[in-house]
Amino acid sequence: MKIEGKEYRTIWFDEKNKIVKIIDQTKLPHKFIIKDLKKVNDAVNAIKTMEVRGAPLIGATAAYGIVLSILENNDQSFLKKSSEELINSRPTAINLKWAVDRMMKKLSGINSNEILNMALNEAKEICEEDVKFCESIGINGLKIIEEIYNKKKNTVNILTHCNAGWLATINWGTATSPIYHAHKKGIKVHVWVDETRPRNQGANLTSYELNEEGVSNTIIADNTGGILMQRGEVDMCIVGTDRTLSTGDVANKIGTYLKALAAHDNNVPFYVALPSSTIDWETKDFKDIPIEERNSDELSYVEGVDENNNVQKVLIYPKKSKSMNLAFDITPAKYVTGLITEKGVCEASTEGLKALFK
Ligand code: MRU
């Protein structure tokens, strides 16, 4: 998708310098900075500090982390250690483990002369596949938006939470892909963007990328969705996910659950968009999903630009107050209208998922 009219992906390999390039998302929306990842530890840190974030993108970064590990030290025990560090860099999104396991399976038994090429091809394949899957999610989700538009004959208002946009994937996004497809088809859409405290991925990333693509959007405080739904100003919600269980229970950015409850109370359809790499087929009970707890400074400090366009960070809480920063919550399947996947739309249930993914 575009930034200042130029097409970008969120991650790519620089063949000449044998390094990985990312868009540093901690600097957006105020500064657009492309960062180099040269060593596997750079990839681990980029994931931990959220220079890259969003489930599919951290999976792709981990895959390239494996490539960087081989470039740095083509040795089996170093590779194993790297793979473990990459998997443990963030706990909730299943895409991390999925991508590293896929890479390690591909590389198992491959000799040291061929391993680099093999790893690079597989990391690129993971990215290409994600682009294709996100595009298909868009085509499948477009039908739902079109249906609402055909009934309403007016702008479709869609609420989204956090950033499940192209910046969270390689291209297109998951939750935003149906929106981009509708916009490109000339269907009038308007997006209510939850600010998504504390890291403001909605305001800083979703609104930013929608602006760059010319999609009408309005940032709202995270508490605003409920009244908008009661007033009939939300036609549907689409969110992303970091891990969806085979039961249809959905882990996503903190606050998603409360939006799903409000949507349920107001008969607003609540969809979750995801590629199959985000499905956890093993965990059966949502209580077993590890929920990331991040540093509480992310809550107590806010960052922005001053009148001279300099980035400033300020404390907004009383110095003596404690705060707590859980990064994800779980939306039980019963509150999810449907899962929009690359294979089609299904019920959020074992039967629904199994019918699509044999
Ligand atoms: O903490 P983040 O910014 O990595 O959280 C991202 C989300 O919660 C997204 O909704 C999810 O990863 C899906 S991205 C297509």
Side-chain angles (χ1 to χ4, degrees), residues 16 23 29 31 56 59 75 107 109 125 133 149 153 167 183 186 238 247 252 264 267 270 274 314 318 325 330 334:
K16 189 169 150 243
I23 298 170
K31 292 201 161 72
D75 166 85
L107 303 180
E125 183 52 34
F133 285 2
Y149 183 73
K153 303 263 181 276
L167 289 167
H183 177 70
I238 318 180
T247 54
N252 192 44
H264 183 76
N267 290 319
F270 189 91
L274 69 154
V314 292
N325 184 13
I330 315 284
K334 64 181 173 186

Side-chain angles (χ1 to χ4, degrees), residues 244-251 256-257 259-272 286-287 330-339 346-351 353:
T244 288
L245 301 192
S246 60
T247 54
D249 297 330
V250 169
T256 303
Y257 172 43
K259 280 309 129 69
L261 286 178
H264 183 76
D265 194 43
N266 290 282
N267 290 319
V268 173
F270 189 91
Y271 286 94
V272 177
F286 73 68
K287 294 192 190 78
I330 315 284
T331 301
K334 64 181 173 186
Y335 298 121
V336 178
T337 309
L339 301 173
C346 70
E347 194 184 85
S349 67
T350 308
E351 297 71 39
L353 279 167

Side-chain angles (χ1 to χ4, degrees), residues 50 53-56 90 161-165 168-169 174 201 240-242 252-253 328:
M50 295 175 66
R53 25 70 51 207
R90 282 190 82 188
H161 191 70
C162 193
N163 174 262
T169 64
T174 59
Q201 291 96 324
T241 167
D242 288 80
N252 192 44
K253 182 52 55 193
F328 297 96

Side-chain angles (χ1 to χ4, degrees), residues 105-326:
K105 195 169 164 205
K106 190 83 188 177
L107 303 180
S108 130
I110 303 296
N111 70 48
S112 57
N113 297 330
E114 290 169 19
I115 198 164
L116 178 62
N117 263 345
M118 193 73 122
L120 189 53
N121 287 342
E122 193 63 7
K124 285 181 184 167
E125 183 52 34
I126 285 175
C127 292
E128 290 312 315
E129 196 179 278
D130 190 67
V131 176
K132 265 192 259 147
F133 285 2
C134 285
E135 188 171 9
S136 300
I137 288 168
I139 295 164
N140 295 330
L142 168 64
K143 292 180 205 140
I144 303 168
I145 300 179
E146 260 178 329
E147 242 170 65
I148 297 174
Y149 183 73
N150 290 338
K151 264 196 221 142
K152 198 182 169 193
K153 303 263 181 276
N154 208 340
T155 305
V156 181
N157 287 302
I158 302 168
L159 183 142
T160 193
H161 191 70
C162 193
N163 174 262
W166 78 267
L167 289 167
T169 64
I170 312 300
N171 211 350
W172 289 109
T174 59
T176 54
S177 188
I179 297 168
Y180 286 132
H181 277 81
H183 177 70
K184 283 180 196 294
K185 214 177 161 183
I187 296 172
K188 280 194 209 143
V189 283
H190 165 261
V191 186
W192 295 114
V193 178
D194 278 354
E195 178 193 30
T196 320
R197 281 278 290 149
R199 290 192 62 110
N200 300 340
Q201 291 96 324
N204 291 349
L205 305 174
T206 305
S207 181
Y208 169 79
E209 63 161 87
L210 292 172
N211 291 344
E212 295 295 311
E213 286 290 325
V215 179
S216 159
N217 70 90
T218 309
I219 300 168
I220 49 175
D222 292 324
N223 308 325
T224 310
I227 182 118
L228 291 179
M229 291 187 208
Q230 286 173 328
R231 287 179 175 180
E233 291 181 50
V234 181
D235 295 303
M236 71 187 297
C237 302
I238 318 180
V239 300
T241 167
D242 288 80
R243 188 189 293 231
T244 288
L245 301 192
S246 60
T247 54
D249 297 330
V250 169
N252 192 44
K253 182 52 55 193
I254 192 87
T256 303
Y257 172 43
L258 294 179
K259 280 309 129 69
L261 286 178
H264 183 76
D265 194 43
N266 290 282
N267 290 319
V268 173
F270 189 91
Y271 286 94
V272 177
L274 69 154
S276 48
S277 51
T278 307
I279 305 172
D280 176 351
W281 296 102
E282 276 165 32
T283 309
K284 296 289 171 242
D285 187 338
F286 73 68
K287 294 192 190 78
D288 294 332
I289 298 176
I291 299 291
E292 180 176 18
E293 183 171 350
R294 296 185 62 86
N295 194 314
S296 62
D297 282 0
E298 291 182 353
L299 272 172
S300 47
Y301 286 83
V302 290
E303 219 176 78
V305 285
D306 63 17
E307 62 280 9
N308 300 318
N309 224 22
N310 293 322
V311 176
Q312 304 284 0
K313 195 172 173 180
V314 292
L315 175 71
I316 54 166
Y317 288 170
K319 282 194 179 116
K320 287 185 185 161
S321 295
K322 274 197 296 181
S323 50
M324 189 223 217
N325 184 13
L326 289 178

